[in-house]
Amino acid sequence: MSVSKNLQNFTQWGRKIVAVGRNYRDHCAELGNPIPKSPLLFMKPPSSYLIEEAGPILIPRGCNDIHHEVELGVVIGSKCQDVSEKEVLNHVAGYALTLDMTARDFQNEAKAKGNPWAMAKCFDTALPVSRFIALNEIPDPGNVELWCKVNGEERQRGTTSDMIFSISHLISYISKYFTLDEGDLVLTGTPAGVGPVKEGDVLSCGITDLIEMNFNVKRKL
Ligand SMILES: O=C([O-])CC(=O)C(=O)O
Ligand SMILES: [Mg+2]
């Protein structure tokens, strides 16, 4: 599809972000979570976007266990409402490399109490994001290798071919319940290897042979 209205700047559109959790078996196993029978969805706000030039990832106040989760993001190019799996790729404008930063201690507390995950997932700088990646740069989104390093040491390496629910399935499923609009972003879940970063660390992640991004980590004062 053609990319309209300067979608390259999708982070400035202020559009919604739908995140998928537990979409890789190895990540479900490492956190002791069951394999979902249907996609597990949560939201992140546009205020959590962090581009590389904008400064460090800020550990939220009171958080003592913030985790990296490298994920492939899908940028929606046109309205999706009850879209079939076959039609999904006609509505995709491009991609982005993302980090679904997670305050794991806040999330564990929320899980134990049966509460929502907003405090764990929505804080400022919780969504480091790359430049817009055009469709032709990722010819097969079902076979993309993602990696993540902390201070140069590899922590995550996985491929989107290991997703439990494919990108087509995820976007079709979401669109049956709520409308996705041009400029929205869908985070597709993280492979295994999630773990903590601390103040002073450098967090790097990439898509093999395509893109890399680096962020300093600081504590919010
Ligand atoms: O916090 C979690 O483990 C759920 C999640 O976002 C993911 O699997 O990517
Ligand atoms: Mg995630």
Side-chain angles (χ1 to χ4, degrees):
M1 69 171 298
S2 64
V3 175
S4 66
K5 281 205 261 172
N6 202 12
L7 204 50
Q8 281 83 358
N9 295 325
F10 69 95
T11 60
Q12 290 164 31
W13 284 37
R15 289 293 176 87
K16 64 186 170 296
I17 298 135
V18 184
V20 177
R22 303 178 188 167
N23 199 27
Y24 290 79
R25 283 183 179 77
D26 54 1
H27 173 60
C28 293
E30 71 181 345
L31 293 188
N33 290 316
I35 307 285
K37 296 213 164 46
S38 54
L40 172 72
L41 305 180
F42 60 93
M43 310 287 286
K44 288 172 87 89
S47 50
S48 64
Y49 275 132
L50 177 69
I51 57 169
E52 213 174 358
E53 309 78 73
I57 294 167
L58 294 174
I59 303 170
R61 296 181 177 118
C63 172
N64 292 307
D65 192 22
I66 186 174
H67 280 199
H68 53 79
E69 294 188 355
V70 67
E71 308 196 4
L72 182 66
V74 182
V75 182
I76 301 297
S78 55
K79 181 172 170 171
C80 298
Q81 210 167 37
D82 287 321
V83 170
S84 72
E85 288 191 32
K86 278 199 182 126
E87 291 168 327
V88 162
L89 283 182
N90 300 330
H91 295 271
V92 171
Y95 304 94
L97 174 65
T98 67
L99 284 163
D100 171 21
M101 296 305 298
T102 303
R104 195 70 71 198
D105 46 357
F106 293 179
Q107 188 190 38
N108 287 339
E109 189 182 335
K111 277 163 71 176
K113 292 179 176 165
N115 286 339
W117 293 357
M119 289 295 287
K121 294 285 194 178
C122 301
F123 55 88
D124 291 352
T125 75
L127 182 43
V129 62
S130 74
R131 67 167 174 84
F132 178 83
I133 300 171
L135 286 180
N136 63 0
E137 296 180 86
I138 298 190
D140 181 5
N143 190 17
V144 172
E145 189 179 64
L146 304 166
W147 58 266
C148 180
K149 295 179 183 176
V150 179
N151 302 326
E153 215 174 274
E154 187 166 300
R155 297 288 170 84
Q156 292 186 270
R157 184 171 294 273
T159 162
T160 57
S161 60
D162 287 337
M163 284 182 186
I164 297 170
F165 302 109
S166 69
I167 291 171
S168 295
H169 183 82
L170 291 173
I171 291 175
S172 171
Y173 178 87
I174 295 166
S175 81
K176 288 181 190 158
Y177 295 92
F178 46 96
T179 303
L180 291 169
D181 296 297
E182 187 182 9
D184 286 352
L185 183 73
V186 176
L187 304 186
T188 55
T190 196
V194 303
V197 290
K198 54 185 192 321
E199 171 137 42
D201 284 348
V202 178
L203 181 52
S204 316
C205 62
I207 295 174
T208 303
D209 295 331
L210 182 62
I211 197 167
E212 171 175 343
M213 58 182 186
N214 297 282
F215 292 88
N216 295 313
V217 179
K218 292 205 167 128
R219 184 165 271 289
K220 184 163 180 169
L221 296 174

